[in-house]
Amino acid sequence: MPPIARVEPLTTTRALRGPFDYRLPAALADVGVGTMLRVPFAGRELLGVVVERTTQTDVPDEKLAEPHGRVEPAIPAELVELARWIAVEYCSTVSRALQLVLPPGAGRAARPRVRVREVLVAEATDAGRAVVADGAPERLTERQRAVLERLAADGPLPATQTGADHGGLRRLAGRGLLVLEPRAQRRRPLVQAVGARSPHAPALTREQRAALEPILAALDALAAGAPGAEPAARRFLLHGVTGSGKTEVYLQAAAAALAAGRSVLVLVPEIALAPQTVARFQARFGDTVAVLHSQLGQGERYDEWLQLASGEARIAVGPRSAVFAPLAQLGLAIVDEEHEPAYKHEGDPRYDARRVAAYRARQAGAVLLVGSATPRPESVHALRRIRLTQRVDGRPLPPVEVLDMRDARHPLHPTTREALGDVRRAERKAIVLVNRRGWSNFLSCRHCGHVWDCPQCDVALVLHQRESAIACHHCGHRERIPAACVACGSASVARHGAGTERIETELADALGDPDFPILRLDADTARAGKGAVARTLERFDQAAAGVLVGTQMVAKGHDFPDVTLGVVLDADQTLRFPDFRAEERTFALVAQLAGRAGRGGEGSGRVLVQTLSPEAPSIAAAAKHDADGFLAGELERRRALAYPPFASLIRVTCSAQELGDATAAAEAVRERISGRAGAESVVLGPAPLFRVRGRERSQLVVKAVRRRAAVASVAAAVDAVARTAVGRRVQLSADVDPQ
Ligand code: ADP
Ligand code: ZN
Ligand code: ZN
């Protein structure tokens, strides 16, 4: 029997399902799981990944083809296994899931084009080190001795960093005291470090020490080769208020994992918004850290990938896609700010990086450590919770005032205007959060009531004053700001609501000082080019005083020591979404913003929450900093309504030119699921969804107690319906654990 490789071709078509068998010639005898092969397929050549090796095949010998060759580097076998799990878990295909774990640059072209930059590196020879060590009687100038000393102490250095010019180095090389040679240099991605920290670990607070203890115990058990039978004992939730020093706990846990000979995965929601966390890992662990993120060039990403795959770097830091880092011997998986929706991927496969990280930890017998000031009820329910209740600086959390906006005539409450005035007079800083970008939410005609909607989507167009346009936030459709009503011709057009752009102007007005800096941070200003977000954050950090205004971006994990005022405008905006996470999101938003105020400086800061629903439980709990009360109530509500974590949700969306087709497809899916997804499952819908990009939509939601059975039956139903007559006119997608 010849050796056979089962190969999954890398294509995105759902119709083509591998794996396919190929006979391995002698030259490819060592091919294993994860090897990438160029294979003949239906008259073409495709790139494929070996998912299994075997000697059995049903393909008759004369039809068995041989691969054309291999493509380096191979994917670690563990990641192939991970991809197969993702394909099932998220109703996708193995081929699509494999695209997630490929080395950067592979997959599209047959081979990643790597250009390695070479630099001239100087290294002291034995003779050179001896000269330095015992002050041997070589005749050296002071400058030459200093160069040799540095090379002896710091190891090889790029020629430009030795302190000598090329001529000087060549003379020393000629005397056999150092060698000069060109070497490939790693393209080190630079992450702008806002407020970079010292590389040394501070002494931990008592709470931090207590938090670290069970984590270190679990890591010790791993190192001793006795991880214990119960994986649940190795899964931790670090629930610590903002500023309680969670990152320091991550850093020391990571150091322990490295010391145990294991590698570390660190996930952050978004690199641009987490430069401090990344910088702290780099400052502490140096070249052991590889940073993976989408803003890197392909070559840089490939370099970082190789550093990890070869074991030269042992800590991978990055956003959700970094969960696929080729780390061998994983010992610790960290998920920072675990409540962030950014961990959910919105393309097929619709994976959740938090769940994937948990799977990788289980696969490798590693410790899982997720952290947040506002953890998800799911995590509170499933993980061992460790608390950090105090800020490191010993300050209390700032008092939060809820401002009732039901009778307000102006987007800024009088108390807010007053507080802003205080900030200006005292030359302090404020952060103002508005949940919507643009100028105003929608336009209407004062005469006939006409509302300007997107022609492609059932949503109102948002006014963007600076671009003189009204725009759709779903499809990008744009028109000029109307001078008159298209329906009745009236020139009286009302602007409703306030977005970041308008608030920026209102703030300038309230502050009454054109020299007081106001910086805006939202998806529009972020588009101003690579690094725009980091630059804005850096400018705010460096400024002596000022206001940072923006969307949720301003409430993410930054640590600015001198913010004395935090304001949330329109705090209930998230509550108005018909979504079971609305309460959770609102609580997190207010609590996270509150956490930005009152760090350092005198006074504990002040937080103002403007809202139309002052009694909403999430807002009331956040104002009291009552995470426990909120989580207990939320878990109770979810249990009563059978929402996660007490059931899994699967959403099936059908979109088509005609609403009738979308609904018919959803009906057909529903019929096939009913009864097969486990008796405890409930199928809700079909319900119409608002139109997007000219496509009508209909959706089903499955609430499943038996997750595996339900996912399998939804996957089978979607595949079957996609092949029917109506299914061919409809785009079907299944989303497990929708956000
Ligand atoms: P969190 O992630 O919980 O919001 P951080 O880890 O960012 O908190 O810590 C808040 C601040 O306190 C940071 O500036 C950090 O450097 C500092 N810090 C953390 N732990 C200690 C410690 N044990 N001693 C002194 N400073 C600390
Ligand atoms: Zn009109
Ligand atoms: Zn649109």
Side-chain angles (χ1 to χ4, degrees):
M1 275 290 152
I4 304 288
R6 301 230 144 108
V7 176
E8 192 69 53
L10 294 171
T11 82
T12 51
T13 40
R14 278 181 162 269
L16 188 68
R17 295 284 171 99
F20 302 102
D21 292 357
Y22 290 87
R23 179 177 37 229
L24 292 173
L28 292 172
D30 62 333
V31 156
V33 171
T35 304
M36 287 196 281
L37 294 174
R38 289 181 289 114
V39 292
F41 192 89
R44 290 185 294 157
E45 182 180 274
L46 288 180
L47 190 64
V49 176
V50 178
V51 294
E52 210 181 316
R53 247 195 91 130
T54 178
T55 50
Q56 311 285 316
T57 179
D58 299 334
V59 183
D61 207 39
E62 68 278 8
K63 286 203 170 162
L64 209 51
E66 290 185 0
H68 292 161
R70 84 166 77 208
V71 176
E72 300 285 1
I75 303 166
E78 276 169 12
L79 291 183
V80 174
E81 206 261 303
L82 183 70
R84 298 180 91 176
W85 174 80
I86 285 178
V88 175
E89 189 74 7
Y90 292 102
C91 290
S92 187
T93 65
V94 175
S95 178
R96 279 174 183 251
L98 280 169
Q99 319 262 354
L100 300 170
V101 303
L102 292 181
R108 252 153 297 154
R111 193 195 156 84
R113 269 226 313 279
V114 205
R115 266 165 303 155
V116 179
R117 189 151 50 113
E118 292 205 323
V119 294
L120 205 57
V121 170
E123 182 172 11
T125 60
D126 286 343
R129 276 187 286 269
V131 168
V132 173
D134 33 85
E138 277 278 353
R139 293 220 337 268
L140 292 173
T141 64
E142 223 160 277
R143 175 94 166 271
Q144 287 173 323
R145 182 168 291 277
V147 169
L148 277 182
E149 272 169 5
R150 183 171 311 159
L151 288 178
D154 296 349
L157 283 176
T160 49
Q161 287 171 30
T162 55
D165 58 18
H166 275 197
L169 289 174
R170 251 185 253 114
R171 277 191 291 280
L172 287 170
R175 288 162 68 180
L177 299 176
L178 60 78
V179 285
L180 262 181
E181 59 187 21
R183 283 192 206 162
Q185 196 196 33
R186 175 175 174 195
R187 284 161 283 205
R188 277 252 81 185
L190 287 175
V191 172
Q192 265 167 323
V194 178
R197 294 292 163 5
S198 88
H200 304 295
L204 295 182
T205 64
R206 188 199 304 258
E207 265 199 336
Q208 282 173 319
R209 258 180 296 155
L212 202 53
E213 206 171 285
I215 302 166
L216 294 184
L219 286 167
D220 274 350
L222 275 192
E230 195 46 73
R234 295 195 295 272
R235 297 208 296 259
F236 300 95
L237 165 63
L238 184 59
H239 179 186
V241 298
T242 47
S244 59
K246 293 184 289 295
T247 310
E248 193 53 46
V249 174
Y250 302 149
L251 287 165
Q252 302 218 4
L258 289 184
R262 299 290 204 113
S263 61
V264 180
L265 172 67
V266 184
L267 296 184
V268 294
E270 211 180 315
I271 290 277
L273 295 171
Q276 293 171 332
T277 308
V278 178
R280 280 163 77 180
F281 271 89
Q282 286 181 322
R284 190 72 56 87
F285 299 106
D287 273 354
T288 314
V289 177
V291 181
L292 300 160
H293 64 93
S294 55
Q295 287 210 343
L296 298 179
Q298 190 161 296
E300 290 171 322
R301 256 187 295 162
Y302 183 71
D303 284 3
E304 298 298 281
W305 194 93
L306 267 192
Q307 290 284 324
L308 290 165
S310 66
E312 270 168 65
R314 304 185 54 77
I315 302 181
V317 183
R320 64 170 180 257
S321 60
V323 77
F324 303 110
L327 288 160
Q329 295 255 296
L330 184 69
L332 174 65
I334 294 170
V335 183
D336 190 21
E337 308 286 1
E338 70 98 23
H339 61 281
E340 284 288 344
Y343 285 119
K344 177 75 191 217
H345 183 62
E346 292 304 345
D348 184 3
R350 296 172 170 268
Y351 69 89
D352 185 324
R354 294 163 289 207
R355 202 175 176 88
V356 179
Y359 182 85
R360 283 199 77 173
R362 188 149 25 102
Q363 186 186 34
V367 171
L368 176 71
L369 175 58
V370 315
S372 173
T374 53
R376 294 177 301 159
E378 286 96 320
S379 305
V380 171
H381 185 69
L383 309 176
R384 274 178 74 181
R385 181 153 55 141
I386 303 171
R387 301 298 300 267
L388 291 174
T389 60
Q390 307 288 323
R391 283 184 168 186
V392 172
D393 58 16
R395 290 162 190 287
L397 288 162
V400 178
E401 292 157 64
V402 177
L403 305 174
D404 188 342
M405 294 296 282
R406 278 174 295 193
D407 295 324
R409 313 229 144 244
H410 190 274
L412 300 177
H413 192 280
T415 309
T416 306
R417 300 175 72 92
E418 222 171 88
L420 285 165
D422 293 345
V423 167
R424 181 185 58 79
R425 276 186 294 281
E427 290 278 309
R428 294 296 169 78
K429 290 183 190 173
I431 297 183
V432 178
L433 190 159
V434 199
N435 237 319
R436 184 182 283 270
R437 63 197 165 88
W439 183 272
S440 56
N441 307 355
F442 67 98
L443 302 182
S444 74
C445 169
R446 284 209 174 86
H447 186 69
C448 76
H450 173 81
V451 171
W452 275 259
D453 279 334
C454 175
Q456 306 287 326
C457 317
D458 294 333
V459 295
L461 295 171
V462 176
L463 174 64
H464 290 259
Q465 183 82 19
R466 202 157 304 166
E467 300 152 56
S468 305
I470 49 178
C472 172
H473 286 184
H474 284 274
C475 72
H477 169 87
R478 258 158 210 282
E479 319 176 356
R480 292 194 58 78
I481 297 178
C485 175
V486 286
C488 75
S490 157
S492 181
V493 177
R495 303 171 164 197
H496 304 271
T500 46
E501 206 185 1
R502 172 162 174 212
I503 294 298
E504 186 183 6
T505 307
E506 298 287 355
L507 287 170
D509 186 47
L511 288 160
D513 177 356
D515 293 331
F516 201 74
I518 301 176
L519 301 167
R520 177 155 65 95
L521 191 62
D522 58 24
D524 296 323
T525 62
R527 270 199 295 269
K530 208 167 159 177
V533 172
R535 274 197 305 277
T536 305
L537 291 172
E538 175 114 31
R539 270 173 62 204
F540 186 62
D541 192 37
Q542 302 290 314
V547 179
L548 179 66
V549 55
T551 49
Q552 306 204 3
M553 286 179 177
V554 300
K556 314 264 153 154
H558 328 296
D559 178 19
F560 301 115
D562 39 14
V563 172
T564 54
L565 176 66
V567 185
V568 187
L569 307 179
D570 204 9
D572 35 304
Q573 144 97 39
T574 41
L575 275 181
R576 293 196 290 269
F577 279 101
D579 173 355
F580 80 99
R581 291 192 195 279
E583 296 278 346
E584 172 191 331
R585 293 236 165 91
T586 306
F587 179 85
L589 193 67
V590 175
Q592 292 287 344
L593 185 83
R596 306 298 135 222
R599 297 183 177 197
E602 324 85 72
S604 68
R606 181 178 186 192
V607 178
L608 304 175
V609 178
Q610 298 191 176
T611 175
L612 294 168
S613 344
E615 283 95 37
S618 49
I619 292 177
K624 285 185 290 181
H625 302 296
D626 182 14
D628 284 338
F630 173 73
L631 285 164
E634 188 62 12
L635 276 167
E636 202 174 301
R637 190 178 71 91
R638 301 240 187 130
R639 190 190 294 275
L641 299 173
Y643 275 122
F646 305 101
S648 296
L649 298 188
I650 308 164
R651 183 167 62 198
V652 179
T653 310
C654 303
S655 73
Q657 283 317 321
E658 306 293 330
L659 181 59
D661 286 342
T663 312
E667 278 292 357
V669 172
R670 183 195 168 101
E671 232 151 76
R672 283 170 194 269
I673 303 170
S674 296
R676 296 196 192 96
E680 315 89 336
S681 296
V682 180
V683 187
L684 307 170
L689 274 180
F690 67 91
R691 201 165 50 110
V692 169
R693 292 190 165 86
R695 294 183 70 86
E696 303 284 351
R697 299 186 304 157
S698 177
Q699 79 163 3
L700 293 179
V701 175
V702 183
K703 281 185 180 175
V705 176
R706 286 170 48 221
R707 180 186 175 95
R708 297 225 126 217
V711 171
S713 94
V714 169
V718 166
D719 277 350
V721 172
R723 279 191 281 270
T724 62
V726 70
R728 275 191 272 274
R729 296 195 294 272
V730 177
Q731 241 176 44
L732 292 114
S733 87
D735 188 359
V736 182
D737 305 328
Q739 271 296 312

